[in-house]
Amino acid sequence: AATARSRGMTVLRGRAAASPAPVPYRPVAEAFLSHLRGSGPPAAVELEGFRPALSVLVPAWTGPGEERPAESSVILLGEAVLALLRVLAGERGVFMALEDLHWADPGTLELLDYVVDKLEGIGAVVVTTVRTGESSPAERQARQFGAHRQAEIVDLVRLEDAGVEEMVTASLGSGDLPPELVRSVHAASDGLPFLVEEVLASLLDTGALARAKGGWEVRGPLQPAVPPSFAEVVGDRLGALPAPAARVVQTAAVLGERFDWRLLKSTCEGGEDRVVAALRDAADLQLLEEDRAGRVFRFRHALTRTAVLETLLLPERSAIAGRALAALDVDGDAGSEHLALAADLAETAGDRRRATELLLASAAAALRRGAVTPALAAAERVVEEGPEPDQAVRANEVLLDGYISAGDARRVVEVGDRLLGLLAATDAPAWRGAAAHLRLARAATAATDWRRAVHHLGRVEALVPEPGDELGARTEVLRAQVAMGEHRIEEAAGHARRARDVGARLGLDDLVCESLELLGRARRVQDLDEAEGHFTEALVTAERAGLEVQRVRALHELGTIELIRLAEPRRLRAARDGALAVGAPGLAAQAGMHLAVALFVRDQLDEARVAAERSAEAAERYGLGLLVPAATTVVGAIDAVRGRTEDAVAAFERARPLMDAEVEATGRGHVLGLAALTVEDRPGALREFAAAEMLMPPDSGVGRAPYRGVYAVLLALEDGSTAVLDELTRDEPSLHVASVGLAEVARAVRWGRRGEAGKAEARFAAGMARLAPAPWYRHVAARLAAEAAVVDGWGEPVVWLREALDFFEGQGLDDLARACRSLLRRAGAPVPRRAAAASPDRVVDPELARLGVTAREAEVLTLVAEGLSNKDIAARLYLSARTVEKHVERLMLKTGSANRAQLAARAARAGSVRT
């Protein structure tokens, strides 16, 4: 309507209303009156003969001495409406909106059917709205209009998470919202915009949501009340059902938002036929819907269920819950969902002790299958309700296990202290105290706090000097964790093997998975294939046993193999997302850090930075020890290879107080060393690489990282026969592929120095092939190797330098670009003119810059627009034809061009590079 007004169109708006006896033609009459109230129909010749018919729509339009006809044929009435629309359209057109036609009378729908068929040529736009899913005559008519191409159907879908968040942000006028608020609003509103507003209003009214100095904050339970308007709709629909059917729906509401109809059948009186008939009637009235995938029914909205519950008295709810609990008949082997439902039913029925026991069983069952979030919620609920001492101990044991799985080290310490206090107060047996210390030792290893882990393991042995098989095996796993953390690899492998054997004998799948994970990590330093085999076995075991957290951990470890092999990090992404899905943010942070490393080496720097920063933030929030400086050094490494030396050094210094020797070594190598190399400070790079080698513990997997390969190439250029270089270029199956490729380049330089051109060229080609997925490392290696090749007379240094120059200029790495130009001059080759961005008086067109087009790509685009072929462009810019081809491919992707002609047209519009 607003758009129509802005175009000078006449706007007409009318709507139907819910009524036992709808007023005939109300929406159409209201639409005309919205524009003509007080004036009557226009005095136009086109309307002559139609005034009596129009008075059927609007009685006030009956002229002096005229009698309003008792009725009028739909044809005459339809022609009268068309004539009036034509008059109102004039030269600008007319817009008519008829809303809520699901409440319209039959006459309105019949009239609309006639009018829609004959709108063409009038200059009119008609928009109608109708609620779907209710099988109303208006909905059937709308679908028919669409099927006959008489109308465009626009189905409004429910908002997803992002849409709800956007609407909440707009409604509250702030983007700084508590995350739990958006989740709660989405769950309560089910994505319906009307309910989003109503839910927010309810939370504000109750004080659960309030504006604070720094934004909005949650001050109470996020349990929105049912909006009165919504409760009225639900009440009307429930009242439209026969009394027995309404009772079935009320019973279903006690069972939950989603419910198994078979349990409903066992709880209600009247048998299966009555229940099924009631479900069908309730579905027709939009109270319920069938979830065929889950083989259950659900209320249309969470608030629908709440509104139905409010129609029951407390004694009625209690009686229904008691019958349902008896019909459910759960036992200790039931799934966590059945146990959670049983707990709710027991509480509604008034049996508090049984409800607590069922909640504890539900939490433990959820944790066993890796559903961390519901497990924590159930255990926290028990603690909040003030349970008996033994129940409090068990609840805190579940909480401790849950927060360990979630990787929340801060909450682990809090809950652990509380649990130890409860055990001391209840004079618990020694084995129970030992189990608590074992949990705390496990949490300490997750936080890389080896000293604290050893302390708790010592307490386990003091409390239970002769542990049984299971306790002993779980202690072995943690001893293996500590040994791995302190780089005692063979000792760790021995502990892990013993734990795996006991776990397999006792059928403890979680213990087997953890042991296999440790064995894989121990072997990853020496044999990637063997490590991958252990991780794969852990994944299969976890999937077979339904252990979701262990499955995600195994995926994470398999992802580290992808990282080392320079493969696309699909499993790391899956592990990070899977950890978040099961409620394990600490594990997600670990996977996110490794994902950041994988993306960094593959030169996907923007995504790598996001992953690293999120990992560092989560690691700090959850107290994850060394993960904080490790993730921060990844951020520094990204700044280093982008030439932002000051930012890189600042990141390293910020993280340095939290580092151990291994993290400091990799930080010096990948942050300080690469930052120096990026600005052509070779002595500084050599100094930092040497310091990293001195710090790096033996048998460290991190010690095989890519910076060592760069160090090898530099040493080969300085002195091709040092012992350090021999060590750096030693073949090892677990080396990072980038390190392997760079070591090959270092060998090529050594062979070239010895006058073995053929061997040098073969080694160089092998190294470049390995480095193909790592552009920054590949071009740095080419720039360094070219320096030796120009002097020693081997390979094609001019080709390498031109491609490297193109890459460095595109990345804005001026020092490396200048080095390439200098080497090209030394080689006697033509030096390409500088890219447009390198000259202060030439800039990339802003439109193209917003698409991510670099200065070099803009130059290529300009020449494409001139009609030059890739070969001609290569000759003009002193590039290889293959490089130009890659530039053109990226340009087509960034600009959305389907072919070269479209790309040329885009260049002509934008101007590419302008002076």
Side-chain angles (χ1 to χ4, degrees), residues 194 206 538 553 579 631 639 647 677 748 785 876:
F194 164 70
T206 61
R553 293 183 68 89
D639 285 329
D647 292 339
L677 187 64
R876 178 84 66 89

Side-chain angles (χ1 to χ4, degrees), residues 566 600-603 641 674 677 706 709-710 713 736-746 764-786 796-797 799-808 813 816 820 880 882-883 886 890:
L566 253 181
F600 159 70
V601 179
R602 292 172 64 84
D603 212 40
V641 300
L674 296 187
L677 187 64
V710 179
V713 177
H736 192 290
V737 165
S739 294
V740 174
L742 289 160
E744 289 280 33
V745 174
F764 181 80
M768 288 293 103
R770 294 273 192 175
L771 292 169
W776 189 90
Y777 286 99
R778 186 174 188 273
H779 291 298
V780 164
R783 172 262 176 274
L784 295 173
E796 298 179 279
V799 174
W800 310 338
L801 287 167
R802 284 176 175 165
E803 291 188 354
L805 173 61
D806 184 52
F807 175 81
F808 295 139
L813 301 175
L816 288 169
C820 291
S880 70
R882 177 61 179 159
T883 298
K886 286 293 183 185
R890 287 196 292 268

Side-chain angles (χ1 to χ4, degrees), residues 200-214:
L200 283 175
S202 170
L203 295 175
L204 289 168
D205 288 344
T206 61
L209 179 66
R211 187 185 290 277
K213 188 173 182 180

Side-chain angles (χ1 to χ4, degrees), residues 110 129 148 181 252 269 281 430 448 478 515 531 615 642 743 780 792:
E110 190 178 10
T129 66
H148 293 165
L181 171 65
E269 299 176 355
D281 290 344
T448 64
L478 293 171
S515 304
S615 177
R642 280 180 159 166
V780 164
D792 299 327

